Amino acid sequence: MLEVTVKATTANLGPGFDCLGLALNIENKVKFIKSDKDFTDKNNIIYQSAKKIFDLSGKTMPPIEIEQEINIPICRGLGSSAACIAAGCIAGNIMSGANMSLDELIEIGTEIEGHPDNIVPAFLGGFTVSSMDEGKVVYFRQDAYEGFKYAVMYPDYTLPTSQARGVLPKEIAFSDGVFNVGKASLFTAAMISGDGELLKYACKDKLHQPYRKSLVPGFDDIIDKAQSLGALASFLSGAGPTIIAILSKDDNDFETAMKEHLKKIKGKWTLKVVGPSNEGARV
Ligand code: HSE
């Protein structure tokens, strides 16, 4: 039996579309158990990811049972699919004896997921910046600043990434591109330095949130309330519908007041305050 622990991740962090990522301290445990009978659901993304490693190393995947303890909300913009892919790739690497490096697994995981922003922190933990370069994943990783904590707010409905990408424009104005380059750069600097004041200016986006917010009723209301309650930044997590507010570690008032406010928003919202995770996927 092999058990892989994987973390939730948030991507984009506002302006860093398909590029910025952060691991959060919410985890799934995935058990891989050798079995006599064939695993039934071959469409399972964990199974598919493990099998991909076997296939690439020229080995045959034996029958396997997969058991999960799931804490990462599914299809909510918290990296549940990246967590499954990372777990599958890591288990596949060990079970097949393929002995691939972490960077090779990140490449394969990104190919399965389609973009690197959740995959890189799912494997490595911490705060990450990743970008595709001629088909390769290039990334920067640093331990997340411990002075911030994260109010993770999610509704009872799911939002498939394909649907949330489907509302994005094919082209954007040059001025919007310039705006986001500036904000994403400031955001990166703020996350690395722990400069909460800078975060307040950095967390603005013209690439995806203005188009996606119609898919998340109450989006503006929650963002405005978070700001009035003293959040340093707030944004749609990944493709949504989760909204995350960044708080100072010593903020003790936000959680209760925001929970009360969320009762008024359609969608039975849940709020959990969690720390970042500097630990990536581990066996
Ligand atoms: N960067 C991706 C998006 C994250 O916003 O569509 C979702 O997987």
Side-chain angles (χ1 to χ4, degrees):
M1 198 273 286
L2 188 67
E3 183 176 276
V4 185
T5 302
V6 275
K7 303 288 178 178
T9 49
T10 181
N12 301 332
L13 291 101
F17 185 75
D18 275 2
C19 161
L20 302 185
L22 176 76
L24 296 170
N25 205 7
I26 304 173
E27 66 183 28
N28 286 359
K29 290 186 194 303
V30 189
K31 283 185 185 153
F32 297 81
I33 306 152
K34 284 205 176 130
S35 161
D36 294 334
K37 46 184 186 335
D38 221 2
F39 180 68
T40 42
D41 182 10
K42 296 214 164 58
N43 292 320
N44 177 310
I45 192 165
I46 301 173
Y47 177 89
Q48 295 263 333
S49 304
K51 185 166 184 304
K52 178 105 184 163
I53 305 297
F54 272 88
D55 290 350
L56 287 170
S57 59
K59 305 266 175 62
T60 306
M61 183 150 157
I64 204 124
E65 270 179 57
I66 297 174
E67 284 177 10
Q68 292 189 74
E69 180 193 309
I70 300 176
N71 295 300
I72 305 171
I74 295 167
C75 210
R76 299 295 209 295
L78 286 166
S80 60
S81 75
C84 290
I85 293 167
C89 287
I90 287 173
N93 196 35
I94 293 170
M95 292 185 301
S96 66
N99 207 17
M100 290 185 190
S101 68
L102 206 46
D103 280 356
E104 285 175 292
L105 297 178
I106 287 173
E107 289 288 344
I108 295 163
T110 299
E111 199 185 308
I112 299 170
E113 174 85 335
H115 29 85
D117 48 348
N118 289 106
I119 288 287
V120 175
F123 273 100
L124 302 177
F127 169 68
T128 60
V129 182
S130 19
S131 177
M132 298 305 295
D133 193 89
E134 297 181 357
K136 282 196 75 65
V137 184
V138 181
Y139 66 82
F140 162 89
R141 180 219 176 268
Q142 177 164 309
D143 275 359
Y145 176 64
E146 296 285 354
F148 297 151
K149 60 185 179 183
Y150 300 84
V152 177
M153 299 171 269
Y154 54 91
D156 63 354
Y157 56 86
T158 58
L159 176 55
T161 298
S162 52
Q163 189 186 344
R165 288 181 91 85
V167 299
L168 301 179
K170 297 267 178 292
E171 292 174 359
I172 54 154
F174 184 77
S175 56
D176 287 354
V178 172
F179 181 91
N180 264 66
V181 169
K183 301 302 178 196
S185 305
L186 283 178
F187 204 101
T188 303
M191 291 298 283
I192 291 171
S193 64
D195 186 337
E197 279 306 305
L198 199 54
L199 268 188
K200 291 183 182 171
Y201 298 98
C203 195
K204 293 180 184 166
D205 158 64
K206 291 191 177 180
L207 289 192
H208 69 112
Q209 293 181 169
Y211 305 99
R212 288 173 160 172
K213 66 183 185 181
S214 62
L215 302 172
V216 184
F219 176 83
D220 281 333
D221 188 331
I222 295 170
I223 297 281
D224 290 348
K225 187 70 182 177
Q227 195 177 348
S228 74
L229 290 174
L232 303 170
S234 48
F235 50 81
L236 194 66
S237 179
T242 294
I243 294 172
I244 289 183
I246 305 184
L247 309 175
S248 292
K249 202 174 182 178
D250 55 9
D251 185 320
N252 294 317
D253 304 324
F254 183 95
E255 183 173 357
T256 311
M258 189 50 126
K259 273 185 175 160
E260 207 43 47
H261 185 75
L262 287 173
K263 288 181 187 161
K264 299 179 206 150
I265 313 283
K266 200 177 146 202
K268 290 203 179 85
W269 288 69
T270 299
L271 186 161
K272 286 183 183 156
V273 177
V274 300
S277 172
N278 288 325
E279 197 172 60
R282 66 176 196 279
V283 178

